[in-house]
Amino acid sequence: MSATGTAVVLRRGRFSALVERRTLVFTCVLLTLLLALGLTVLCYGAGWSSPAQVLDALRGERGGLNVVIREWRLPRVLAAMLFGAALGSAGAIFQNVTRNALGSPDVIGLDAGAYTGTLVALTALSATPAQQTAGSVAGALAAAALVYVLAMRGGVSGLRLIVVGIAVNAMITAVNSWIVLRADLEVAIAAVGWSAGSLNGLDWEHARIPFCVIGVLLALLATRAPAMHQAALGTDVAVGTGVRTGSLQLQLVLIGVGCTATVTAVTGPIAFVALAAPQIGRRVARTPGVGLLPAVLTGAFLLLSADLIAQLLLAPVSLPVGVITTAIGGCYLIWLLTKEVRSG
């Protein structure tokens, strides 16, 4: 090998080591912040509990406070972390598949489709948790299939998927409004309140099954992460390293739809976490592409932070967390669109 070639290899090796070191530092720092923020949220409620009291209650040593901490606050904190991680991972999946920073479930219509499925369960069925979950998954899958079929004309590309997804999102949102207007008053009020996206009132009964489903999906995603990152480098590179891109994309889309639909079935559509988390994680960790681990950790931190703000802003009234993520995400989307236009 020539001296020039050796120098290039050494530079690439140093760059790779530097990126991995930054990712490791980012992971350690964000995990520490997550634990600190989670403890803060556990302390906050109708009455402030000290960290020592919270830790005692988690060990079952605080009598009546055990119920408050372990049965009321802990499921909400864990749900914010896990659901945020699920949304962050779904955003990373679709941004890698579309190779576009705007590729996320809430932009291309998957959240709206999941909401449609849940509305059908609320208005036409008995609205059991199982029916809501099944309806949400079915609606998200139908929306994903519709976007893909419409985007196939003329060849599938990331930009085409985004544009078609935005159009499908608008149409599905109109259908959702029609369903709500046609529903009985009580059902319509419940559906509109649920559509804001909220963690209020979440307990272990509502959380156990979604926790298990998301845990399985994230574990499956972890096994596909190396191939996903190879595919993000380009189709030729992926095929050259033995990645079957067609099968991989289908698997990733199904995992992303499953994560989005499961969260939506429990909390309602929570906007912009899936859009913002992968890009914020990529910029802070300074990874060369949209990394899965930074997106997962950033999503968990964003949703937990937004939920704390939702509890503090109009205390003692707790706002739906979707209101906070939408307000923050709207500003982020304007900034991202402006940057995309300038770079384009």
Side-chain angles (χ1 to χ4, degrees):
M1 182 181 292
S2 65
T4 303
T6 303
V8 170
V9 171
L10 287 174
R11 287 195 197 100
R12 287 179 179 175
R14 289 171 184 169
F15 176 75
S16 177
L18 181 61
V19 168
E20 290 178 359
R21 192 180 305 117
R22 285 173 176 168
T23 303
L24 179 61
V25 171
F26 170 82
T27 300
C28 294
V29 170
L30 203 53
L31 281 174
T32 302
L33 290 176
L34 265 176
L35 291 175
L37 183 60
L39 182 60
T40 302
V41 179
L42 285 175
C43 292
Y44 179 77
W48 177 264
S49 304
S50 69
Q53 290 175 323
V54 168
L55 294 176
D56 287 342
L58 291 175
R59 291 192 294 265
E61 300 173 359
R62 275 285 171 175
L65 189 60
N66 294 346
V67 176
V68 175
I69 301 296
R70 298 172 66 176
E71 301 298 326
W72 298 351
R73 297 182 191 173
L74 184 59
R76 180 170 182 153
V77 169
L78 294 179
M81 290 182 179
L82 191 58
F83 292 170
L87 292 174
S89 65
I93 286 172
F94 287 103
Q95 288 180 17
N96 273 298
V97 169
T98 62
R99 296 176 191 173
N100 193 303
L102 292 176
S104 92
D106 40 0
V107 173
I108 62 176
L110 301 191
D111 278 10
Y115 182 32
T116 304
T118 306
L119 281 177
V120 171
L122 288 171
T123 56
L125 304 174
S126 55
T128 64
Q131 289 174 345
Q132 286 184 232
T133 302
S136 181
V137 173
L141 284 172
L146 180 60
V147 170
Y148 185 78
V149 169
L150 293 176
M152 280 180 63
R153 298 184 179 183
V156 178
S157 68
L159 181 59
R160 183 184 295 273
L161 280 170
I162 299 299
V163 174
V164 170
I166 291 173
V168 169
N169 186 38
M171 291 187 292
I172 296 176
T173 300
V175 171
N176 292 342
S177 299
W178 179 81
I179 294 174
V180 171
L181 290 172
R182 298 281 296 177
D184 294 336
L185 181 59
E186 292 183 0
V187 175
I189 292 173
V192 170
W194 179 84
S195 68
S198 177
L199 295 170
N200 296 340
L202 191 70
D203 57 21
W204 288 116
E205 182 180 355
H206 297 93
R208 283 192 181 95
I209 294 178
F211 282 6
C212 293
V213 172
I214 291 174
V216 171
L217 291 174
L218 291 180
L220 289 174
L221 180 57
T223 65
R224 309 308 297 150
M228 182 180 76
H229 293 145
Q230 288 282 10
L233 298 175
T235 303
D236 294 338
V237 175
V239 172
T241 55
V243 176
R244 301 172 61 183
T245 55
S247 173
L248 175 66
Q249 285 191 355
L250 177 60
Q251 294 172 37
L252 292 175
V253 167
L254 290 176
I255 293 172
V257 168
C259 288
T260 301
T262 302
V263 174
T264 303
V266 179
T267 66
I270 297 177
F272 292 110
V273 174
L275 175 68
Q279 292 301 314
I280 293 175
R282 181 177 71 86
R283 284 171 170 80
V284 176
R286 297 184 182 181
T287 56
V290 179
L292 180 60
L293 184 58
V296 167
L297 294 176
T298 304
F301 185 79
L302 284 179
L303 189 54
L304 186 58
S305 301
D307 189 48
L308 179 59
I309 295 172
Q311 295 181 62
L312 291 172
L313 199 59
L314 295 179
V317 177
S318 183
L319 291 174
V321 69
V323 174
I324 305 300
T325 60
T326 300
I328 298 173
C331 299
Y332 172 80
L333 183 58
I334 292 172
W335 173 81
L336 184 61
L337 286 171
T338 303
K339 187 172 182 178
E340 286 289 315
V341 169
R342 288 177 179 174
S343 63

